[in-house]
mmCIF file with all atom_site columns, all heavy atoms in Angstrom:
data_model
loop_
_atom_site.group_PDB
_atom_site.id
_atom_site.type_symbol
_atom_site.label_atom_id
_atom_site.label_alt_id
_atom_site.label_comp_id
_atom_site.label_asym_id
_atom_site.label_entity_id
_atom_site.label_seq_id
_atom_site.pdbx_PDB_ins_code
_atom_site.Cartn_x
_atom_site.Cartn_y
_atom_site.Cartn_z
_atom_site.occupancy
_atom_site.B_iso_or_equiv
_atom_site.pdbx_formal_charge
_atom_site.auth_seq_id
_atom_site.auth_comp_id
_atom_site.auth_asym_id
_atom_site.auth_atom_id
_atom_site.pdbx_PDB_model_num
ATOM 1   N N   . LYS Y 1 1  ? 0.792  -1.258 0.042  1.00 0.00 ? 181 LYS Y N   1
ATOM 2   C CA  . LYS Y 1 1  ? -0.045 0.044  -0.085 1.00 0.00 ? 181 LYS Y CA  1
ATOM 3   C C   . LYS Y 1 1  ? 0.852  1.332  0.018  1.00 0.00 ? 181 LYS Y C   1
ATOM 4   O O   . LYS Y 1 1  ? 0.609  2.150  -0.742 1.00 0.00 ? 181 LYS Y O   1
ATOM 5   C CB  . LYS Y 1 1  ? -0.937 0.010  1.154  1.00 0.00 ? 181 LYS Y CB  1
ATOM 6   C CG  . LYS Y 1 1  ? -1.974 -1.132 1.256  1.00 0.00 ? 181 LYS Y CG  1
ATOM 7   C CD  . LYS Y 1 1  ? -2.839 -1.067 2.534  1.00 0.00 ? 181 LYS Y CD  1
ATOM 8   C CE  . LYS Y 1 1  ? -2.121 -0.977 3.766  1.00 0.00 ? 181 LYS Y CE  1
ATOM 9   N NZ  . LYS Y 1 1  ? -1.301 -2.173 4.093  1.00 0.00 ? 181 LYS Y NZ  1
ATOM 10  N N   . SER Y 1 2  ? 1.804  1.364  0.885  1.00 0.00 ? 182 SER Y N   1
ATOM 11  C CA  . SER Y 1 2  ? 2.653  2.644  1.021  1.00 0.00 ? 182 SER Y CA  1
ATOM 12  C C   . SER Y 1 2  ? 3.522  2.796  -0.270 1.00 0.00 ? 182 SER Y C   1
ATOM 13  O O   . SER Y 1 2  ? 3.585  3.888  -0.705 1.00 0.00 ? 182 SER Y O   1
ATOM 14  C CB  . SER Y 1 2  ? 3.406  2.538  2.278  1.00 0.00 ? 182 SER Y CB  1
ATOM 15  O OG  . SER Y 1 2  ? 2.670  2.552  3.370  1.00 0.00 ? 182 SER Y OG  1
ATOM 16  N N   . THR Y 1 3  ? 4.036  1.707  -0.701 1.00 0.00 ? 183 THR Y N   1
ATOM 17  C CA  . THR Y 1 3  ? 4.840  1.764  -1.893 1.00 0.00 ? 183 THR Y CA  1
ATOM 18  C C   . THR Y 1 3  ? 3.945  2.271  -3.116 1.00 0.00 ? 183 THR Y C   1
ATOM 19  O O   . THR Y 1 3  ? 4.344  3.104  -3.877 1.00 0.00 ? 183 THR Y O   1
ATOM 20  C CB  . THR Y 1 3  ? 5.452  0.506  -2.212 1.00 0.00 ? 183 THR Y CB  1
ATOM 21  O OG1 . THR Y 1 3  ? 6.324  0.045  -1.160 1.00 0.00 ? 183 THR Y OG1 1
ATOM 22  C CG2 . THR Y 1 3  ? 6.321  0.452  -3.590 1.00 0.00 ? 183 THR Y CG2 1
ATOM 23  N N   . PHE Y 1 4  ? 2.823  1.697  -3.268 1.00 0.00 ? 184 PHE Y N   1
ATOM 24  C CA  . PHE Y 1 4  ? 1.864  2.131  -4.231 1.00 0.00 ? 184 PHE Y CA  1
ATOM 25  C C   . PHE Y 1 4  ? 1.474  3.531  -4.100 1.00 0.00 ? 184 PHE Y C   1
ATOM 26  O O   . PHE Y 1 4  ? 1.543  4.346  -5.084 1.00 0.00 ? 184 PHE Y O   1
ATOM 27  C CB  . PHE Y 1 4  ? 0.597  1.230  -4.164 1.00 0.00 ? 184 PHE Y CB  1
ATOM 28  C CG  . PHE Y 1 4  ? -0.447 1.522  -5.151 1.00 0.00 ? 184 PHE Y CG  1
ATOM 29  C CD1 . PHE Y 1 4  ? -0.436 0.807  -6.358 1.00 0.00 ? 184 PHE Y CD1 1
ATOM 30  C CD2 . PHE Y 1 4  ? -1.528 2.450  -4.895 1.00 0.00 ? 184 PHE Y CD2 1
ATOM 31  C CE1 . PHE Y 1 4  ? -1.473 1.110  -7.349 1.00 0.00 ? 184 PHE Y CE1 1
ATOM 32  C CE2 . PHE Y 1 4  ? -2.489 2.732  -5.747 1.00 0.00 ? 184 PHE Y CE2 1
ATOM 33  C CZ  . PHE Y 1 4  ? -2.452 2.030  -7.032 1.00 0.00 ? 184 PHE Y CZ  1
ATOM 34  N N   . ALA Y 1 5  ? 1.234  3.945  -2.866 1.00 0.00 ? 185 ALA Y N   1
ATOM 35  C CA  . ALA Y 1 5  ? 0.890  5.405  -2.633 1.00 0.00 ? 185 ALA Y CA  1
ATOM 36  C C   . ALA Y 1 5  ? 2.021  6.340  -3.080 1.00 0.00 ? 185 ALA Y C   1
ATOM 37  O O   . ALA Y 1 5  ? 1.805  7.323  -3.770 1.00 0.00 ? 185 ALA Y O   1
ATOM 38  C CB  . ALA Y 1 5  ? 0.540  5.609  -1.122 1.00 0.00 ? 185 ALA Y CB  1
ATOM 39  N N   . ARG Y 1 6  ? 3.190  5.993  -2.709 1.00 0.00 ? 186 ARG Y N   1
ATOM 40  C CA  . ARG Y 1 6  ? 4.388  6.800  -3.111 1.00 0.00 ? 186 ARG Y CA  1
ATOM 41  C C   . ARG Y 1 6  ? 4.553  6.846  -4.586 1.00 0.00 ? 186 ARG Y C   1
ATOM 42  O O   . ARG Y 1 6  ? 4.998  7.911  -5.095 1.00 0.00 ? 186 ARG Y O   1
ATOM 43  C CB  . ARG Y 1 6  ? 5.647  6.391  -2.381 1.00 0.00 ? 186 ARG Y CB  1
ATOM 44  C CG  . ARG Y 1 6  ? 5.640  6.663  -0.923 1.00 0.00 ? 186 ARG Y CG  1
ATOM 45  C CD  . ARG Y 1 6  ? 7.121  6.504  -0.338 1.00 0.00 ? 186 ARG Y CD  1
ATOM 46  N NE  . ARG Y 1 6  ? 7.536  4.995  -0.558 1.00 0.00 ? 186 ARG Y NE  1
ATOM 47  C CZ  . ARG Y 1 6  ? 7.206  4.008  0.283  1.00 0.00 ? 186 ARG Y CZ  1
ATOM 48  N NH1 . ARG Y 1 6  ? 6.550  4.234  1.359  1.00 0.00 ? 186 ARG Y NH1 1
ATOM 49  N NH2 . ARG Y 1 6  ? 7.797  2.865  0.077  1.00 0.00 ? 186 ARG Y NH2 1
ATOM 50  N N   . GLN Y 1 7  ? 4.297  5.855  -5.307 1.00 0.00 ? 187 GLN Y N   1
ATOM 51  C CA  . GLN Y 1 7  ? 4.398  5.760  -6.808 1.00 0.00 ? 187 GLN Y CA  1
ATOM 52  C C   . GLN Y 1 7  ? 3.351  6.554  -7.518 1.00 0.00 ? 187 GLN Y C   1
ATOM 53  O O   . GLN Y 1 7  ? 3.554  6.835  -8.597 1.00 0.00 ? 187 GLN Y O   1
ATOM 54  C CB  . GLN Y 1 7  ? 4.420  4.263  -7.218 1.00 0.00 ? 187 GLN Y CB  1
ATOM 55  C CG  . GLN Y 1 7  ? 5.651  3.511  -6.932 1.00 0.00 ? 187 GLN Y CG  1
ATOM 56  C CD  . GLN Y 1 7  ? 5.512  1.937  -7.205 1.00 0.00 ? 187 GLN Y CD  1
ATOM 57  O OE1 . GLN Y 1 7  ? 4.396  1.462  -7.446 1.00 0.00 ? 187 GLN Y OE1 1
ATOM 58  N NE2 . GLN Y 1 7  ? 6.537  1.273  -7.108 1.00 0.00 ? 187 GLN Y NE2 1
ATOM 59  N N   . HIS Y 1 8  ? 2.201  6.619  -6.881 1.00 0.00 ? 188 HIS Y N   1
ATOM 60  C CA  . HIS Y 1 8  ? 1.062  7.203  -7.654 1.00 0.00 ? 188 HIS Y CA  1
ATOM 61  C C   . HIS Y 1 8  ? 0.495  8.475  -7.316 1.00 0.00 ? 188 HIS Y C   1
ATOM 62  O O   . HIS Y 1 8  ? -0.209 9.187  -7.854 1.00 0.00 ? 188 HIS Y O   1
ATOM 63  C CB  . HIS Y 1 8  ? -0.259 6.209  -7.462 1.00 0.00 ? 188 HIS Y CB  1
ATOM 64  C CG  . HIS Y 1 8  ? -0.016 4.944  -8.303 1.00 0.00 ? 188 HIS Y CG  1
ATOM 65  N ND1 . HIS Y 1 8  ? 0.663  3.929  -7.880 1.00 0.00 ? 188 HIS Y ND1 1
ATOM 66  C CD2 . HIS Y 1 8  ? -0.413 4.697  -9.557 1.00 0.00 ? 188 HIS Y CD2 1
ATOM 67  C CE1 . HIS Y 1 8  ? 0.759  2.895  -8.793 1.00 0.00 ? 188 HIS Y CE1 1
ATOM 68  N NE2 . HIS Y 1 8  ? 0.046  3.340  -9.890 1.00 0.00 ? 188 HIS Y NE2 1
ATOM 69  N N   . PHE Y 1 9  ? 0.963  9.052  -6.082 1.00 0.00 ? 189 PHE Y N   1
ATOM 70  C CA  . PHE Y 1 9  ? 0.372  10.262 -5.483 1.00 0.00 ? 189 PHE Y CA  1
ATOM 71  C C   . PHE Y 1 9  ? 1.471  11.123 -4.893 1.00 0.00 ? 189 PHE Y C   1
ATOM 72  O O   . PHE Y 1 9  ? 2.514  10.694 -4.583 1.00 0.00 ? 189 PHE Y O   1
ATOM 73  C CB  . PHE Y 1 9  ? -0.624 9.928  -4.403 1.00 0.00 ? 189 PHE Y CB  1
ATOM 74  C CG  . PHE Y 1 9  ? -1.677 8.959  -4.814 1.00 0.00 ? 189 PHE Y CG  1
ATOM 75  C CD1 . PHE Y 1 9  ? -1.655 7.626  -4.428 1.00 0.00 ? 189 PHE Y CD1 1
ATOM 76  C CD2 . PHE Y 1 9  ? -2.806 9.375  -5.612 1.00 0.00 ? 189 PHE Y CD2 1
ATOM 77  C CE1 . PHE Y 1 9  ? -2.694 6.707  -4.899 1.00 0.00 ? 189 PHE Y CE1 1
ATOM 78  C CE2 . PHE Y 1 9  ? -3.620 8.454  -6.131 1.00 0.00 ? 189 PHE Y CE2 1
ATOM 79  C CZ  . PHE Y 1 9  ? -3.709 7.185  -5.682 1.00 0.00 ? 189 PHE Y CZ  1
ATOM 80  N N   . LYS Y 1 10 ? 1.072  12.503 -4.817 1.00 0.00 ? 190 LYS Y N   1
ATOM 81  C CA  . LYS Y 1 10 ? 2.047  13.355 -4.209 1.00 0.00 ? 190 LYS Y CA  1
ATOM 82  C C   . LYS Y 1 10 ? 1.994  13.121 -2.659 1.00 0.00 ? 190 LYS Y C   1
ATOM 83  O O   . LYS Y 1 10 ? 1.069  12.710 -2.191 1.00 0.00 ? 190 LYS Y O   1
ATOM 84  C CB  . LYS Y 1 10 ? 1.563  14.739 -4.495 1.00 0.00 ? 190 LYS Y CB  1
ATOM 85  C CG  . LYS Y 1 10 ? 1.562  15.178 -5.894 1.00 0.00 ? 190 LYS Y CG  1
ATOM 86  C CD  . LYS Y 1 10 ? 1.271  16.684 -6.079 1.00 0.00 ? 190 LYS Y CD  1
ATOM 87  C CE  . LYS Y 1 10 ? -0.165 16.965 -5.648 1.00 0.00 ? 190 LYS Y CE  1
ATOM 88  N NZ  . LYS Y 1 10 ? -0.536 18.395 -6.007 1.00 0.00 ? 190 LYS Y NZ  1
ATOM 89  N N   . PRO Y 1 11 ? 3.163  13.359 -1.955 1.00 0.00 ? 191 PRO Y N   1
ATOM 90  C CA  . PRO Y 1 11 ? 3.266  13.149 -0.595 1.00 0.00 ? 191 PRO Y CA  1
ATOM 91  C C   . PRO Y 1 11 ? 2.192  13.873 0.197  1.00 0.00 ? 191 PRO Y C   1
ATOM 92  O O   . PRO Y 1 11 ? 1.624  13.361 1.204  1.00 0.00 ? 191 PRO Y O   1
ATOM 93  C CB  . PRO Y 1 11 ? 4.618  13.691 -0.216 1.00 0.00 ? 191 PRO Y CB  1
ATOM 94  C CG  . PRO Y 1 11 ? 5.478  13.588 -1.497 1.00 0.00 ? 191 PRO Y CG  1
ATOM 95  C CD  . PRO Y 1 11 ? 4.413  13.864 -2.541 1.00 0.00 ? 191 PRO Y CD  1
ATOM 96  N N   . THR Y 1 12 ? 1.770  15.080 -0.207 1.00 0.00 ? 192 THR Y N   1
ATOM 97  C CA  . THR Y 1 12 ? 0.723  15.795 0.440  1.00 0.00 ? 192 THR Y CA  1
ATOM 98  C C   . THR Y 1 12 ? -0.685 15.164 0.322  1.00 0.00 ? 192 THR Y C   1
ATOM 99  O O   . THR Y 1 12 ? -1.582 15.445 1.151  1.00 0.00 ? 192 THR Y O   1
ATOM 100 C CB  . THR Y 1 12 ? 0.704  17.282 0.122  1.00 0.00 ? 192 THR Y CB  1
ATOM 101 O OG1 . THR Y 1 12 ? 0.508  17.325 -1.406 1.00 0.00 ? 192 THR Y OG1 1
ATOM 102 C CG2 . THR Y 1 12 ? 2.012  17.950 0.426  1.00 0.00 ? 192 THR Y CG2 1
ATOM 103 N N   . GLU Y 1 13 ? -0.854 14.293 -0.655 1.00 0.00 ? 193 GLU Y N   1
ATOM 104 C CA  . GLU Y 1 13 ? -2.113 13.687 -0.881 1.00 0.00 ? 193 GLU Y CA  1
ATOM 105 C C   . GLU Y 1 13 ? -2.354 12.466 0.027  1.00 0.00 ? 193 GLU Y C   1
ATOM 106 O O   . GLU Y 1 13 ? -3.483 11.968 0.051  1.00 0.00 ? 193 GLU Y O   1
ATOM 107 C CB  . GLU Y 1 13 ? -2.262 13.347 -2.440 1.00 0.00 ? 193 GLU Y CB  1
ATOM 108 C CG  . GLU Y 1 13 ? -2.281 14.516 -3.316 1.00 0.00 ? 193 GLU Y CG  1
ATOM 109 C CD  . GLU Y 1 13 ? -2.152 14.055 -4.785 1.00 0.00 ? 193 GLU Y CD  1
ATOM 110 O OE1 . GLU Y 1 13 ? -1.608 13.061 -5.122 1.00 0.00 ? 193 GLU Y OE1 1
ATOM 111 O OE2 . GLU Y 1 13 ? -2.695 14.887 -5.638 1.00 0.00 ? 193 GLU Y OE2 1
ATOM 112 N N   . ILE Y 1 14 ? -1.238 12.006 0.586  1.00 0.00 ? 194 ILE Y N   1
ATOM 113 C CA  . ILE Y 1 14 ? -1.381 10.738 1.358  1.00 0.00 ? 194 ILE Y CA  1
ATOM 114 C C   . ILE Y 1 14 ? -1.497 11.015 2.877  1.00 0.00 ? 194 ILE Y C   1
ATOM 115 O O   . ILE Y 1 14 ? -0.618 11.646 3.435  1.00 0.00 ? 194 ILE Y O   1
ATOM 116 C CB  . ILE Y 1 14 ? 0.005  9.912  1.144  1.00 0.00 ? 194 ILE Y CB  1
ATOM 117 C CG1 . ILE Y 1 14 ? 0.091  9.650  -0.384 1.00 0.00 ? 194 ILE Y CG1 1
ATOM 118 C CG2 . ILE Y 1 14 ? -0.110 8.587  1.959  1.00 0.00 ? 194 ILE Y CG2 1
ATOM 119 C CD1 . ILE Y 1 14 ? 1.513  9.128  -0.698 1.00 0.00 ? 194 ILE Y CD1 1
ATOM 120 N N   . ALA Y 1 15 ? -2.567 10.444 3.357  1.00 0.00 ? 195 ALA Y N   1
ATOM 121 C CA  . ALA Y 1 15 ? -2.819 10.494 4.893  1.00 0.00 ? 195 ALA Y CA  1
ATOM 122 C C   . ALA Y 1 15 ? -2.404 9.120  5.374  1.00 0.00 ? 195 ALA Y C   1
ATOM 123 O O   . ALA Y 1 15 ? -3.233 8.168  5.169  1.00 0.00 ? 195 ALA Y O   1
ATOM 124 C CB  . ALA Y 1 15 ? -4.215 10.965 5.206  1.00 0.00 ? 195 ALA Y CB  1
ATOM 125 N N   . SER Y 1 16 ? -1.229 8.922  6.139  1.00 0.00 ? 196 SER Y N   1
ATOM 126 C CA  . SER Y 1 16 ? -0.849 7.691  6.529  1.00 0.00 ? 196 SER Y CA  1
ATOM 127 C C   . SER Y 1 16 ? -0.908 7.549  7.977  1.00 0.00 ? 196 SER Y C   1
ATOM 128 O O   . SER Y 1 16 ? -0.470 8.391  8.814  1.00 0.00 ? 196 SER Y O   1
ATOM 129 C CB  . SER Y 1 16 ? 0.641  7.612  6.132  1.00 0.00 ? 196 SER Y CB  1
ATOM 130 O OG  . SER Y 1 16 ? 1.271  6.591  6.847  1.00 0.00 ? 196 SER Y OG  1
ATOM 131 N N   . SER Y 1 17 ? -1.443 6.351  8.379  1.00 0.00 ? 197 SER Y N   1
ATOM 132 C CA  . SER Y 1 17 ? -1.477 6.045  9.791  1.00 0.00 ? 197 SER Y CA  1
ATOM 133 C C   . SER Y 1 17 ? -0.168 5.900  10.369 1.00 0.00 ? 197 SER Y C   1
ATOM 134 O O   . SER Y 1 17 ? 0.047  6.382  11.548 1.00 0.00 ? 197 SER Y O   1
ATOM 135 C CB  . SER Y 1 17 ? -2.468 4.766  10.004 1.00 0.00 ? 197 SER Y CB  1
ATOM 136 O OG  . SER Y 1 17 ? -1.814 3.680  9.342  1.00 0.00 ? 197 SER Y OG  1
ATOM 137 N N   . ASP Y 1 18 ? 0.802  5.348  9.750  1.00 0.00 ? 198 ASP Y N   1
ATOM 138 C CA  . ASP Y 1 18 ? 2.115  5.149  10.265 1.00 0.00 ? 198 ASP Y CA  1
ATOM 139 C C   . ASP Y 1 18 ? 2.749  6.594  10.469 1.00 0.00 ? 198 ASP Y C   1
ATOM 140 O O   . ASP Y 1 18 ? 3.372  6.884  11.538 1.00 0.00 ? 198 ASP Y O   1
ATOM 141 C CB  . ASP Y 1 18 ? 3.036  4.383  9.244  1.00 0.00 ? 198 ASP Y CB  1
ATOM 142 C CG  . ASP Y 1 18 ? 2.648  2.895  9.221  1.00 0.00 ? 198 ASP Y CG  1
ATOM 143 O OD1 . ASP Y 1 18 ? 1.956  2.503  10.188 1.00 0.00 ? 198 ASP Y OD1 1
ATOM 144 O OD2 . ASP Y 1 18 ? 3.071  2.265  8.336  1.00 0.00 ? 198 ASP Y OD2 1
ATOM 145 N N   . PHE Y 1 19 ? 2.621  7.500  9.519  1.00 0.00 ? 199 PHE Y N   1
ATOM 146 C CA  . PHE Y 1 19 ? 3.161  8.822  9.726  1.00 0.00 ? 199 PHE Y CA  1
ATOM 147 C C   . PHE Y 1 19 ? 2.523  9.512  10.914 1.00 0.00 ? 199 PHE Y C   1
ATOM 148 O O   . PHE Y 1 19 ? 3.203  10.190 11.672 1.00 0.00 ? 199 PHE Y O   1
ATOM 149 C CB  . PHE Y 1 19 ? 2.996  9.653  8.378  1.00 0.00 ? 199 PHE Y CB  1
ATOM 150 C CG  . PHE Y 1 19 ? 3.509  11.035 8.497  1.00 0.00 ? 199 PHE Y CG  1
ATOM 151 C CD1 . PHE Y 1 19 ? 4.850  11.242 8.499  1.00 0.00 ? 199 PHE Y CD1 1
ATOM 152 C CD2 . PHE Y 1 19 ? 2.748  12.169 8.614  1.00 0.00 ? 199 PHE Y CD2 1
ATOM 153 C CE1 . PHE Y 1 19 ? 5.484  12.491 8.548  1.00 0.00 ? 199 PHE Y CE1 1
ATOM 154 C CE2 . PHE Y 1 19 ? 3.183  13.351 8.742  1.00 0.00 ? 199 PHE Y CE2 1
ATOM 155 C CZ  . PHE Y 1 19 ? 4.585  13.573 8.684  1.00 0.00 ? 199 PHE Y CZ  1
ATOM 156 N N   . CYS Y 1 20 ? 1.142  9.312  11.110 1.00 0.00 ? 200 CYS Y N   1
ATOM 157 C CA  . CYS Y 1 20 ? 0.521  9.993  12.178 1.00 0.00 ? 200 CYS Y CA  1
ATOM 158 C C   . CYS Y 1 20 ? 0.995  9.402  13.545 1.00 0.00 ? 200 CYS Y C   1
ATOM 159 O O   . CYS Y 1 20 ? 1.151  10.038 14.551 1.00 0.00 ? 200 CYS Y O   1
ATOM 160 C CB  . CYS Y 1 20 ? -1.027 9.931  12.004 1.00 0.00 ? 200 CYS Y CB  1
ATOM 161 S SG  . CYS Y 1 20 ? -1.599 10.914 10.711 1.00 0.00 ? 200 CYS Y SG  1
ATOM 162 N N   . ARG Y 1 21 ? 1.268  8.042  13.498 1.00 0.00 ? 201 ARG Y N   1
ATOM 163 C CA  . ARG Y 1 21 ? 1.806  7.401  14.732 1.00 0.00 ? 201 ARG Y CA  1
ATOM 164 C C   . ARG Y 1 21 ? 3.176  8.040  15.051 1.00 0.00 ? 201 ARG Y C   1
ATOM 165 O O   . ARG Y 1 21 ? 3.410  8.343  16.279 1.00 0.00 ? 201 ARG Y O   1
ATOM 166 C CB  . ARG Y 1 21 ? 1.919  5.968  14.461 1.00 0.00 ? 201 ARG Y CB  1
ATOM 167 C CG  . ARG Y 1 21 ? 1.787  5.101  15.722 1.00 0.00 ? 201 ARG Y CG  1
ATOM 168 C CD  . ARG Y 1 21 ? 1.823  3.658  15.513 1.00 0.00 ? 201 ARG Y CD  1
ATOM 169 N NE  . ARG Y 1 21 ? 0.449  3.201  15.014 1.00 0.00 ? 201 ARG Y NE  1
ATOM 170 C CZ  . ARG Y 1 21 ? 0.194  2.765  13.786 1.00 0.00 ? 201 ARG Y CZ  1
ATOM 171 N NH1 . ARG Y 1 21 ? 1.064  2.620  12.878 1.00 0.00 ? 201 ARG Y NH1 1
ATOM 172 N NH2 . ARG Y 1 21 ? -1.078 2.401  13.531 1.00 0.00 ? 201 ARG Y NH2 1
ATOM 173 N N   . ALA Y 1 22 ? 3.948  8.222  14.024 1.00 0.00 ? 202 ALA Y N   1
ATOM 174 C CA  . ALA Y 1 22 ? 5.282  8.830  14.263 1.00 0.00 ? 202 ALA Y CA  1
ATOM 175 C C   . ALA Y 1 22 ? 5.155  10.358 14.804 1.00 0.00 ? 202 ALA Y C   1
ATOM 176 O O   . ALA Y 1 22 ? 5.881  10.734 15.597 1.00 0.00 ? 202 ALA Y O   1
ATOM 177 C CB  . ALA Y 1 22 ? 6.123  8.750  12.964 1.00 0.00 ? 202 ALA Y CB  1
ATOM 178 N N   . LEU Y 1 23 ? 4.145  10.993 14.218 1.00 0.00 ? 203 LEU Y N   1
ATOM 179 C CA  . LEU Y 1 23 ? 3.919  12.392 14.638 1.00 0.00 ? 203 LEU Y CA  1
ATOM 180 C C   . LEU Y 1 23 ? 3.674  12.521 16.141 1.00 0.00 ? 203 LEU Y C   1
ATOM 181 O O   . LEU Y 1 23 ? 4.077  13.376 16.843 1.00 0.00 ? 203 LEU Y O   1
ATOM 182 C CB  . LEU Y 1 23 ? 2.785  13.012 13.858 1.00 0.00 ? 203 LEU Y CB  1
ATOM 183 C CG  . LEU Y 1 23 ? 2.987  13.441 12.491 1.00 0.00 ? 203 LEU Y CG  1
ATOM 184 C CD1 . LEU Y 1 23 ? 1.716  13.933 11.794 1.00 0.00 ? 203 LEU Y CD1 1
ATOM 185 C CD2 . LEU Y 1 23 ? 4.089  14.664 12.506 1.00 0.00 ? 203 LEU Y CD2 1
ATOM 186 N N   . VAL Y 1 24 ? 2.810  11.562 16.624 1.00 0.00 ? 204 VAL Y N   1
ATOM 187 C CA  . VAL Y 1 24 ? 2.329  11.665 18.048 1.00 0.00 ? 204 VAL Y CA  1
ATOM 188 C C   . VAL Y 1 24 ? 3.358  10.890 19.058 1.00 0.00 ? 204 VAL Y C   1
ATOM 189 O O   . VAL Y 1 24 ? 3.283  11.200 20.221 1.00 0.00 ? 204 VAL Y O   1
ATOM 190 C CB  . VAL Y 1 24 ? 0.944  11.162 18.311 1.00 0.00 ? 204 VAL Y CB  1
ATOM 191 C CG1 . VAL Y 1 24 ? -0.036 12.050 17.414 1.00 0.00 ? 204 VAL Y CG1 1
ATOM 192 C CG2 . VAL Y 1 24 ? 0.760  9.759  18.006 1.00 0.00 ? 204 VAL Y CG2 1
ATOM 193 N N   . ALA Y 1 25 ? 4.078  9.984  18.442 1.00 0.00 ? 205 ALA Y N   1
ATOM 194 C CA  . ALA Y 1 25 ? 4.958  9.182  19.369 1.00 0.00 ? 205 ALA Y CA  1
ATOM 195 C C   . ALA Y 1 25 ? 6.355  9.108  19.012 1.00 0.00 ? 205 ALA Y C   1
ATOM 196 O O   . ALA Y 1 25 ? 7.211  8.294  19.657 1.00 0.00 ? 205 ALA Y O   1
ATOM 197 C CB  . ALA Y 1 25 ? 4.415  7.783  19.474 1.00 0.00 ? 205 ALA Y CB  1
ATOM 198 N N   . ASP Y 1 26 ? 6.746  9.755  17.915 1.00 0.00 ? 206 ASP Y N   1
ATOM 199 C CA  . ASP Y 1 26 ? 8.210  9.636  17.396 1.00 0.00 ? 206 ASP Y CA  1
ATOM 200 C C   . ASP Y 1 26 ? 8.552  8.222  16.960 1.00 0.00 ? 206 ASP Y C   1
ATOM 201 O O   . ASP Y 1 26 ? 9.663  7.898  16.785 1.00 0.00 ? 206 ASP Y O   1
ATOM 202 C CB  . ASP Y 1 26 ? 9.191  10.092 18.387 1.00 0.00 ? 206 ASP Y CB  1
ATOM 203 C CG  . ASP Y 1 26 ? 9.210  11.710 18.684 1.00 0.00 ? 206 ASP Y CG  1
ATOM 204 O OD1 . ASP Y 1 26 ? 8.710  12.319 17.672 1.00 0.00 ? 206 ASP Y OD1 1
ATOM 205 O OD2 . ASP Y 1 26 ? 9.342  12.119 19.775 1.00 0.00 ? 206 ASP Y OD2 1
ATOM 206 N N   . ASP Y 1 27 ? 7.558  7.452  16.781 1.00 0.00 ? 207 ASP Y N   1
ATOM 207 C CA  . ASP Y 1 27 ? 7.855  6.008  16.348 1.00 0.00 ? 207 ASP Y CA  1
ATOM 208 C C   . ASP Y 1 27 ? 6.571  5.416  15.666 1.00 0.00 ? 207 ASP Y C   1
ATOM 209 O O   . ASP Y 1 27 ? 5.611  5.212  16.373 1.00 0.00 ? 207 ASP Y O   1
ATOM 210 C CB  . ASP Y 1 27 ? 8.167  5.166  17.590 1.00 0.00 ? 207 ASP Y CB  1
ATOM 211 C CG  . ASP Y 1 27 ? 8.498  3.676  17.324 1.00 0.00 ? 207 ASP Y CG  1
ATOM 212 O OD1 . ASP Y 1 27 ? 8.473  3.383  16.156 1.00 0.00 ? 207 ASP Y OD1 1
ATOM 213 O OD2 . ASP Y 1 27 ? 8.815  2.997  18.188 1.00 0.00 ? 207 ASP Y OD2 1
#
């Protein structure tokens, strides 16, 4: 999923649960 997202969409178009987890917990 994440690889597909990076290949098809701009970074700003992707809302990622992993990224949000890193935002709130640094991990």
Side-chain angles (χ1 to χ4, degrees):
K181 297 179 306 299
S182 296
T183 300
F184 181 90
R186 286 190 303 274
Q187 291 172 344
H188 289 84
F189 305 104
K190 295 186 294 188
T192 55
E193 295 170 332
I194 304 166
S196 163
S197 60
D198 289 341
F199 182 74
C200 289
R201 205 175 285 111
L203 282 175
V204 301
D206 292 328
D207 182 359

